[in-house]
Amino acid sequence: MLLTRHLGELWRHRALVAALAGRELKGRYRGSVLGFLWTFLNPLLLLLVYALVFSVYFRVQMEHYAVFMFTGLLPWIFFSQGLMEGAGAIVDGGSLVTKVLFPQQVLPAVKVVSNFVNFLLSLPILLFFMLADGLRPGPAMLAFPVVALVHLAFTFACVLVLCVATVFMRDTRHILGNLITLWFFLTPVLYPLTQVPERWQWLVYLNPAAVFTLSYHDVIFWGRWPRWDHLGLLALLSLAILAVGVRVFEHYKEYFAEKI
Amino acid sequence: MSSPPAIEVSDLVKRFRREMLVRDYGTWKSLLLRPFSRQRRRDLVTVLDGVNFSVDPGRTLAIIGQNGSGKSTLLKILAGIYKPDAGVVKVRGRVSSLIELGAGFHPEFSGRENVQLNAAILGLSKKEIAERFDHIVAYSGLGEYIDAPVRTYSSGMYVRLGFSVAVNVDPDVLLVDEVLAVGDEAFAHKCEDKVNQFRRAGKTIVLVTHDLGAVEKYADEVIWLDGGCVAARGEPKPVIDAYRQKVATQEDQIRRDQCQSEGELRQERWGDGDVVIEAVRVLDAAGGERAVFQHGEALTLEIDYRQVKPTDDLVFGVALSTAQGVLCYGSNTHIDRAELGQAPPAGTVRLAIERLDLVQGTYLLDVAAHAKDGRAYDYIKQITSFAVRSPVGDEGVFRPPHRWSLAPRREA
């Protein structure tokens, strides 16, 4: 089957994905004085900015709001950056696409994986703040890998479609950038679900991004098990998009070298 | 010869969509407006049109042709970067392409790190990279710079490192595009050595280049692509000669067009007009008009004249000079004691030069009709010009037919 062949091929090139993702992560801060430390410093500073704005200026009436907000924000950063960078993966591939024979499905995967690893690396900061704020992670944390995996699958599936679309329509990236901003505010990242009027809450559940955001909130912040039914639906949706994405990618990949 | 060909190409067709920045560029808008539009189908450019050939293992094939003849496209198809629109392409064995050197180098990383990555990109396994790493680094000859970030490299260093990785992939089939033209003398020699080494090792090589000297030196077989079709194929010498001929003919046309439009000749004309030179033609051995000749070719000059007043001491003269105005040769029918007999009232004088033993360059022609005592009837300076092309880089004006030899000297 196309899907398994595509993923199998990706798995066969896992060393290459790892090497390139490593390069992305290391290269990002290469040449700066603090170097890799920025991987931790960036989310930390971001957290302080948000904490300042929402806890001091806005005075949001919610206990441990900084931690709550941060719980949703970190996965969102992975998601949005993964989508943005992933959408340009082929277009920005340059000579790897046009001049050498190269397994091209590696390129979007690298963008997603490197941002995912970046996300995982920022988790200790979150943990530190939880503990500092007097919150203890509960047994529901055990579900974290499942949530993260579904989230990863969903992101990867979207990227696969987007990177092909970007090759043929360069506008995709600019449209996407604005859509993501809208999406961000429609998703309960900065506010708990209870802030949404009750009769509109069903709408929130239609948003795939809300499903993983709420799940992260559940397992990390609220210390309760995620809504498995929602998570399962998201997994199915991811698989469906992945199947479409693989089909689209495999069908159009022979034109990449000519189109770029 | 029982082994199957290393490369088999049959009825290969490749088309590109003609992309105009203004119109065709796909946008969401155009997609929404005419989602099933098929009108773009018409805007196809056929780059390769029914190409057939095969290469036996261990042979070196050179592909020559003018810019835009489809050489690089063909190479990219062999490398698997482009897919053919029709036809079958089979390449047996591991392929390494020297189409782009240092693909995917990251400027912020050291040469060492980039070698690791580039090798992985080119398809080497971790084990293979570990085995060959030292050799690759040594072969690049970068010394201590191997630990400097690649962004600080000179373009020559960059190419050397990329080349070093690419040739150490240990391919069965090596595809080489024009890349060898970069780099300094030492690098050029290194490339040459490597190509020879590959040949000795029985690898199949496909070479795309404009360096016809290199083609003659390396290739077992040559394909001349012209407008996406195989114009000629076979032993290097005849194919190259045919190709040169074609290029010269085209150059010729361009030269003549230029001469007409630009008037690069500073023509001067004087004389009393008793005899009028009506036309001058420069012809090749086959009798066709030409403006570009290969060195050593035959050249015939024809001068049409008409006597306005009958004369009995008519002499025709020709002078040949370089573009810088150095007279190369001058003579006339009188000095040469040519027995032409009484000149008819109107006729054509023909001067046949058996061999143009001139070095490469542009030459200007003067022709004249005058009396024996030198009084000009009609003298035209720089009436026309022609060019001599030569693959040899010798200098001066005149090239005597010659041969070098070497013999040991007996000590007395």
Side-chain angles (χ1 to χ4, degrees):
Chain A
M1 212 177 106
L2 205 57
L3 183 63
T4 49
R5 208 181 65 206
H6 179 94
L7 295 179
E9 185 109 323
L10 203 57
W11 179 248
R12 226 161 35 76
H13 290 111
R14 60 190 181 279
L16 190 56
V17 175
L20 285 168
R23 184 183 78 163
E24 289 273 305
L25 287 171
K26 279 189 273 175
R28 194 170 292 178
Y29 304 114
R30 196 46 88 88
S32 58
V33 178
L34 294 178
F36 202 66
L37 214 59
W38 278 111
T39 310
F40 304 101
L41 220 49
N42 265 335
L44 184 66
L45 293 174
L46 186 76
L47 171 69
L48 291 178
V49 170
Y50 272 79
L52 179 77
V53 172
F54 287 101
S55 297
V56 181
Y57 287 174
F58 266 137
R59 291 176 191 283
V60 175
Q61 298 303 310
M62 181 180 170
E63 254 186 299
H64 309 294
Y65 176 73
V67 176
F68 168 83
M69 180 259 318
F70 210 46
T71 306
L73 199 57
L74 283 182
W76 183 269
I77 291 171
F78 155 55
F79 183 61
S80 62
Q81 290 208 18
L83 287 191
M84 282 305 287
E85 290 180 21
I90 301 292
V91 175
D92 297 337
S95 56
L96 288 185
V97 179
T98 56
K99 300 289 176 72
V100 290
L101 185 58
F102 179 80
Q104 287 164 358
Q105 61 262 59
V106 163
L107 291 172
V110 163
K111 298 291 186 191
V112 174
V113 167
S114 64
N115 277 297
F116 186 66
V117 172
N118 210 21
F119 163 54
L120 294 183
L121 285 174
S122 63
L123 286 177
I125 308 272
L126 174 63
L127 202 67
F128 171 78
F129 266 85
M130 279 178 73
L131 295 174
D133 213 14
L135 288 166
R136 305 261 149 242
M141 274 295 259
L142 290 175
F144 175 81
V146 182
V147 178
L149 212 64
V150 174
H151 183 197
L152 178 67
F154 179 68
T155 311
F156 180 64
C158 294
V159 162
L160 216 48
V161 178
L162 288 170
C163 71
V164 178
T166 309
V167 170
F168 295 94
M169 274 154 285
R170 304 288 165 106
D171 319 43
T172 309
R173 257 199 292 195
H174 307 294
I175 297 171
L176 184 68
N178 291 296
L179 272 183
I180 285 180
T181 309
L182 175 66
W183 204 351
F184 174 67
F185 288 104
L186 289 182
T187 305
V189 178
L190 295 179
Y191 49 89
L193 186 61
T194 47
Q195 291 286 312
V196 182
E198 214 157 314
R199 63 199 174 100
W200 295 117
Q201 280 185 13
W202 61 274
L203 258 176
V204 175
Y205 285 115
L206 286 181
N207 173 4
V211 173
F212 64 73
T213 302
L214 291 173
S215 299
Y216 281 116
H217 280 151
D218 282 341
V219 299
I220 297 173
F221 186 79
W222 302 114
R224 61 190 181 209
W225 297 104
R227 289 284 301 266
W228 293 112
D229 49 345
H230 292 166
L231 216 50
L233 279 174
L234 181 60
L236 279 180
L237 177 69
S238 305
L239 208 63
I241 300 177
L242 195 65
V244 173
V246 165
R247 192 158 289 265
V248 170
F249 192 93
E250 292 291 327
H251 183 260
Y252 284 109
K253 74 174 175 188
E254 62 181 82
Y255 302 111
F256 289 168
E258 297 165 26
K259 267 290 185 181
I260 292 171
Chain B
M1 276 297 156
S2 56
S3 53
I7 300 173
E8 267 180 283
V9 173
S10 48
D11 300 323
L12 172 63
V13 175
K14 179 70 194 170
R15 296 188 191 92
F16 281 123
R17 191 164 286 161
R18 189 194 305 274
E19 231 173 79
M20 295 296 170
L21 272 179
V22 189
R23 217 175 47 83
D24 181 63
Y25 216 72
T27 55
W28 287 105
K29 187 182 148 209
S30 64
L31 190 78
L32 290 175
L33 290 180
R34 34 188 181 88
F36 307 108
S37 162
R38 281 279 170 272
Q39 86 169 68
R40 290 197 205 138
R41 279 251 163 268
R42 273 181 271 144
D43 294 343
L44 290 174
V45 185
T46 305
V47 182
L48 293 171
D49 197 1
V51 173
N52 288 288
F53 67 90
S54 67
V55 187
D56 287 326
R59 305 263 292 171
T60 300
L61 172 80
I63 302 172
I64 59 175
Q66 283 160 301
N67 288 336
S69 57
K71 303 184 300 290
S72 293
T73 304
L74 177 57
L75 207 65
K76 279 190 176 179
I77 289 175
L78 291 179
I81 299 167
Y82 290 164
K83 291 274 176 303
D85 287 311
V88 184
V89 175
K90 264 188 215 144
V91 181
R92 295 186 176 85
R94 185 184 222 163
V95 181
S96 178
S97 64
L98 302 186
I99 293 175
E100 169 94 347
L101 295 176
F105 273 8
H106 192 299
E108 286 293 343
F109 283 74
S110 72
R112 191 180 292 278
E113 290 166 299
N114 271 308
V115 165
Q116 303 265 14
L117 209 64
N118 194 229
I121 286 169
L122 295 181
L124 287 190
S125 70
K126 243 190 175 126
K127 198 166 133 273
E128 286 170 317
I129 295 174
E131 280 167 11
R132 295 173 199 181
F133 185 76
D134 290 333
H135 184 69
I136 292 173
V137 172
Y139 186 76
S140 72
L142 286 179
E144 58 183 359
Y145 289 107
I146 196 72
D147 286 314
V150 162
R151 76 180 143 80
T152 64
Y153 283 20
S154 71
S155 52
M157 289 160 79
Y158 190 94
V159 168
R160 246 149 65 200
L161 192 62
F163 181 75
S164 189
V165 182
V167 296
N168 281 295
V169 167
D170 189 26
D172 303 303
V173 177
L174 186 71
L175 307 175
V176 186
D177 195 0
E178 218 55 277
V179 282
L180 304 185
V182 290
D184 58 10
E185 194 89 345
F187 178 72
H189 288 148
K190 220 167 178 175
C191 298
E192 219 166 277
D193 285 349
K194 201 72 199 179
V195 170
N196 278 325
Q197 197 182 321
F198 272 117
R199 276 159 56 90
R200 278 198 302 277
K203 315 275 190 194
T204 310
I205 304 176
V206 178
L207 203 66
V208 164
T209 181
H210 291 287
D211 181 357
L212 297 178
V215 172
E216 242 167 308
K217 211 161 16 166
Y218 300 121
D220 302 308
E221 196 178 357
V222 177
I223 284 180
W224 166 22
L225 276 187
D226 190 21
C229 303
V230 177
R233 182 190 160 191
E235 294 283 311
K237 195 89 180 83
V239 178
I240 290 175
D241 284 347
Y243 171 61
R244 279 213 175 104
Q245 189 65 52
K246 165 84 191 281
V247 172
T249 315
Q250 273 182 2
E251 212 180 327
D252 190 85
Q253 191 56 51
I254 291 167
R255 234 194 126 65
R256 265 195 265 162
D257 294 349
Q258 268 178 354
C259 280
Q260 274 165 18
S261 61
E262 280 173 23
E264 84 180 37
L265 299 167
R266 282 203 304 278
Q267 230 178 60
E268 283 178 61
R269 188 168 188 172
W270 63 85
D272 59 19
D274 287 353
V275 177
V276 181
I277 292 171
E278 294 188 309
V280 171
R281 289 179 297 275
V282 180
L283 310 173
D284 60 11
E289 273 198 77
R290 282 258 292 274
V292 178
F293 290 82
Q294 295 296 315
H295 76 93
E297 260 193 299
L299 178 150
T300 300
L301 189 68
E302 282 186 351
I303 305 168
D304 293 347
Y305 73 91
R306 185 167 49 82
Q307 298 194 29
V308 179
K309 265 192 215 156
T311 54
D312 55 2
D313 61 346
L314 185 53
V315 172
F316 293 97
V318 167
L320 188 63
S321 50
T322 66
Q324 290 77 40
V326 178
L327 180 65
C328 308
Y329 187 69
S331 184
N332 62 40
T333 51
H334 179 58
I335 315 177
D336 270 342
R337 290 180 198 158
E339 298 293 339
L340 299 176
Q342 184 63 37
T348 301
V349 190
R350 195 170 283 124
L351 170 67
I353 301 173
E354 274 167 47
R355 290 177 54 91
L356 269 184
D357 287 317
L358 296 167
V359 303
Q360 176 158 313
T362 302
Y363 295 89
L364 309 172
L365 262 178
D366 302 351
V367 296
H370 54 82
K372 279 197 182 111
D373 58 12
R375 185 168 46 91
Y377 297 128
D378 194 1
Y379 198 113
I380 311 175
K381 252 182 113 67
Q382 303 194 0
I383 186 168
T384 185
S385 75
F386 63 89
V388 174
R389 290 278 167 268
S390 158
V392 191
D394 47 7
E395 290 181 50
V397 175
F398 169 52
R399 171 196 287 155
H402 60 282
R403 189 162 54 85
W404 294 87
S405 63
L406 179 68
R409 177 162 34 114
R410 291 228 186 89
E411 297 297 331

